[in-house]
Amino acid sequence: MTVTTSPPRKRRSPGDLKVAMIFLAPATLGFVVFYIWPTLRGAYLSFTEYSLLSAPKFNGLDNYERMVHDSFFWNALGVTVEYVVINIGLQTVLAVGIAMLMYRLTKSITVRAVVLLPYLVANVVVALVWYWMLDYQVGIVNQALSWIGIDPVAFFGDSHWAIPTVALINVWRHMGYTALLVFAGLQMIPTYVYEAAEVDGSTEMKTFWRITLPLLRPVLVMVLVVTMIGSFQLFDTVAVTTQGGPINATRVIYYYIYERAFTRFDFGYASAMALVLFAILALVSLLQLRLLRAKESDLA
Amino acid sequence: MRRELNPGRVVAWACLIVLMLLTLFPFYWMLRTAFSDNTQLPGHPSSLLPVESTLGAFKRVLGLSSVAEAQAQGGSGAAVNFWLYLRNSLIVSTVTTVCQVFFSALAAYAFARLRWPGRDKVFALFLAALMVPPIFTLLPNFALIKNLGLLNSFAGIILPTALMTPFAIFFLRQFFLGINRELEEAAMIDGAGHGRIFFGLIIPMSAAPITTLAILTYINSWNDYFWPLLVGQQEKVRVLTVALGVFRSQTPQGGPDWAGLMAATLIAALPMILLFVVFARRITNSIGFSGIK
């Protein structure tokens, strides 16, 4: 990232402050009203009882205490983690695979555009198309399974299958996008390291594991952090297909917060859960960055 | 790079082609189903071509067929009008994109080209907002929009993202930083003010990244579901994504109107697919560059 290196003028001079204030006014208004203020208010609401109808009533740590004993909350966390693990695990492996294939085979913009295509279509559309394709009775996927002698699967109706199904649908939507991020990372690896490996007689596999992957690490970490944060925010797919069912199997944390806030008007409790989610996401990102030593490159 | 056709390359190409087919197949299936007659679908679940091909499903979801006609073709008969939702989506996405990109560009200019005390700290604060998960700010924002009496209005849907997003400012600032300072100083010597420099110099020179950002913003806004679901339930402001959810839950017991549903998803997806076909290179390249979104 570049930082402007403006020649040091008189220190502490207001510079272009007046002009800057004019240019910044609309954005600052938006930032304060729709980002800063709600962040502070959200934190406050998490310590209140608030139904949207009357003013929020401060109730200390009640919401958090309730959360500890709320089996739905723990179920939601568990289901979300299951989803994230399947989704991110598969997606990352596939994305690296696709990126490697593109890197070695073709620079074609068409190929890249095709793999990116699902990402540009709304979650809701993607969810509904797959909901139809995975239908128990007339879906094409179950038809195809029957051709190879497998009994139809109730992808959305079976509580064991529901989360993996939703996870796979979103792998389909996001793998091309993630692959393009990885692809950009691959292009930053200088070709001389490959040439050196070839001279040393390294096989394709060895080169991948010993050179490409380690050199890709900083990019991979960033991709993992970003995609994982996104993955925790699963909502659309669940909202238009299973709506949390069957028997809570897909009631992910986002959906549970939504239900609490907008069908039970339990705004204070929902805010408390959102704050806990915020903390979890911050922690997960921090851990990933630490564990995978994101900043250092092996190419020093 | 070696270019001869060894077995490894053949296998690799085969993998890539299979992956591309897997990517494209659902789009084909959406098309195939949308042009089918819904009552005939269950009889031919694996026919690769549309079953009894008809435009009935499109007529149904665009509100062009009578209730009796719609029901005869397996629709619910409930009044749906995707024209209206299409119009609503166009309004929301267009206004959001124009406002957000313009105001973010103004802010990015202040962060990239102007010198003022505290600039980098304020910018860091703007960026920090990227860390806050949307649902956390969404609850208080909903309360705010409700208290302002803006539920079920376009203003309520558009306002929270109309003035800025941290990403848009970050994205444009990166480009504005790279613009040569000498040009700007030459313009200043000629007596141009910051307004003239911004509109006459910075904007034209950044036409490419601004277009890219506008396309990305448009797509995101078009595809958004959660926020319009909360504040835009009523028909008059209902956007396509929300309408799809409603349409899906209206499906009659027994035989859902799959053809109608796929026709509706196609109507929702097609504008973005067309946009992508036109701007494929630009969009694809922007993803490598900007990384996060």
Side-chain angles (χ1 to χ4, degrees), chain B residues 142-263:
Chain B
F142 176 81
L144 177 69
I145 293 292
K146 185 175 183 292
N147 291 338
L148 291 174
L150 291 175
L151 284 187
N152 293 307
S153 73
F154 284 124
I157 303 178
I158 292 165
L159 264 182
T161 45
L163 294 172
M164 59 89 67
T165 63
F167 175 77
I169 294 179
F170 169 76
F171 185 95
L172 290 177
R173 177 181 169 270
Q174 287 298 99
F175 285 99
F176 292 177
L177 282 176
I179 292 172
N180 194 334
R181 228 169 228 294
E182 282 163 21
L183 277 170
E184 204 177 336
E185 274 156 12
M188 274 194 173
I189 291 167
D190 288 346
H194 284 288
R196 280 250 315 268
I197 291 175
F198 177 74
F199 286 105
L201 202 67
I202 303 286
I203 295 267
M205 286 184 77
S206 316
I210 288 175
T211 315
T212 306
L213 177 69
I215 297 168
L216 293 177
T217 309
Y218 202 89
I219 294 173
N220 273 324
S221 171
W222 186 275
N223 290 344
D224 194 17
Y225 178 64
F226 206 162
W227 182 251
L229 172 74
L230 299 179
V231 299
Q233 275 289 358
Q234 273 175 22
E235 267 224 287
K236 58 175 177 141
V237 294
R238 190 183 289 162
V239 295
L240 280 168
T241 46
V242 178
L244 279 175
V246 175
F247 188 65
R248 134 98 175 94
S249 56
Q250 272 175 355
T251 47
Q253 286 300 312
D257 182 6
W258 291 118
L261 192 61
M262 288 304 109

Side-chain angles (χ1 to χ4, degrees), chain A residues 134-179:
Chain A
L134 296 172
D135 184 70
Y136 185 69
Q137 280 161 353
V138 283
I140 182 67
V141 175
N142 273 322
Q143 294 296 317
L145 287 180
S146 75
W147 296 334
I148 52 173
I150 297 174
D151 286 335
V153 180
F155 289 101
F156 290 100
D158 183 324
S159 53
H160 297 291
W161 273 105
I163 271 291
T165 301
V166 174
L168 281 173
I169 291 173
N170 286 327
V171 168
W172 178 81
R173 182 170 185 260
H174 291 271
M175 67 182 179
Y177 170 75
T178 316

Side-chain angles (χ1 to χ4, degrees), chain A:
Chain A
M1 201 184 297
T2 44
V3 178
T4 36
T5 44
S6 45
R9 277 185 173 182
K10 286 167 278 169
R11 258 198 142 345
R12 290 270 142 222
S13 84
D16 306 313
L17 186 60
K18 262 189 200 156
V19 190
M21 275 165 73
I22 298 169
F23 275 84
L24 269 177
T28 307
L29 180 71
F31 185 62
V32 170
V33 175
F34 295 109
Y35 285 87
I36 298 270
W37 171 241
T39 302
L40 300 175
R41 189 164 152 83
Y44 169 69
L45 286 180
S46 78
F47 300 104
T48 64
E49 198 191 314
Y50 183 33
S51 67
L52 273 179
L53 296 171
S54 50
K57 220 169 49 212
F58 187 79
N59 69 357
L61 288 172
D62 282 8
N63 289 328
Y64 294 92
E65 219 180 297
R66 192 172 142 201
M67 215 182 300
V68 176
H69 302 291
D70 181 357
S71 63
F72 285 107
F73 170 73
W74 292 106
N75 171 68
L77 271 189
V79 171
T80 309
V81 169
E82 187 191 347
Y83 167 83
V84 170
V85 168
I86 301 175
N87 179 247
I88 294 299
L90 258 171
Q91 180 176 295
T92 310
V93 171
L94 278 168
V96 171
I98 295 171
M100 280 305 288
L101 285 174
M102 289 196 301
Y103 184 68
R104 297 304 309 269
L105 295 179
T106 172
K107 296 222 175 328
S108 155
I109 202 88
T110 315
V111 171
R112 273 188 267 169
V114 167
V115 299
L116 185 63
L117 186 58
Y119 182 73
L120 299 168
V121 176
N123 273 319
V124 175
V125 169
V126 169
L128 290 175
V129 171
W130 281 98
Y131 191 66
W132 156 231
M133 289 181 38
L134 296 172
D135 184 70
Y136 185 69
Q137 280 161 353
V138 283
I140 182 67
V141 175
N142 273 322
Q143 294 296 317
L145 287 180
S146 75
W147 296 334
I148 52 173
I150 297 174
D151 286 335
V153 180
F155 289 101
F156 290 100
D158 183 324
S159 53
H160 297 291
W161 273 105
I163 271 291
T165 301
V166 174
L168 281 173
I169 291 173
N170 286 327
V171 168
W172 178 81
R173 182 170 185 260
H174 291 271
M175 67 182 179
Y177 170 75
T178 316
L180 285 187
L181 295 182
V182 176
F183 184 76
L186 283 174
Q187 288 181 315
M188 293 193 308
I189 299 175
T191 45
Y192 69 78
V193 291
Y194 291 120
E195 282 154 15
E198 204 165 338
V199 169
D200 290 346
S202 170
T203 63
E204 190 107 359
M205 270 296 159
K206 253 191 185 162
T207 309
F208 175 74
W209 288 107
R210 304 242 172 107
I211 294 176
T212 313
L213 219 46
L215 289 181
L216 201 57
R217 204 201 53 226
V219 172
L220 268 184
V221 175
M222 283 327 290
V223 168
L224 265 177
V225 169
V226 173
T227 53
M228 197 177 273
I229 290 177
S231 186
F232 266 94
Q233 295 168 10
L234 170 70
F235 174 81
D236 302 0
T237 319
V238 167
V240 296
T241 59
T242 59
Q243 297 175 321
I247 344 166
N248 309 324
T250 59
R251 184 169 282 108
V252 287
I253 188 74
Y254 242 65
Y255 196 76
Y256 186 49
I257 295 174
Y258 160 80
E259 272 187 340
R260 277 283 154 197
F262 297 102
T263 61
R264 315 236 180 141
F265 301 102
D266 206 348
F267 246 64
Y269 188 47
S271 300
M273 285 194 289
L275 190 63
V276 168
L277 179 66
F278 186 2
I280 292 175
L281 288 181
L283 206 72
V284 167
S285 328
L286 212 70
L287 263 175
Q288 279 179 318
L289 291 171
R290 261 295 158 75
L291 282 178
L292 295 153
R293 294 163 297 139
K295 291 258 168 67
E296 315 156 30
S297 167
D298 290 339
L299 201 74

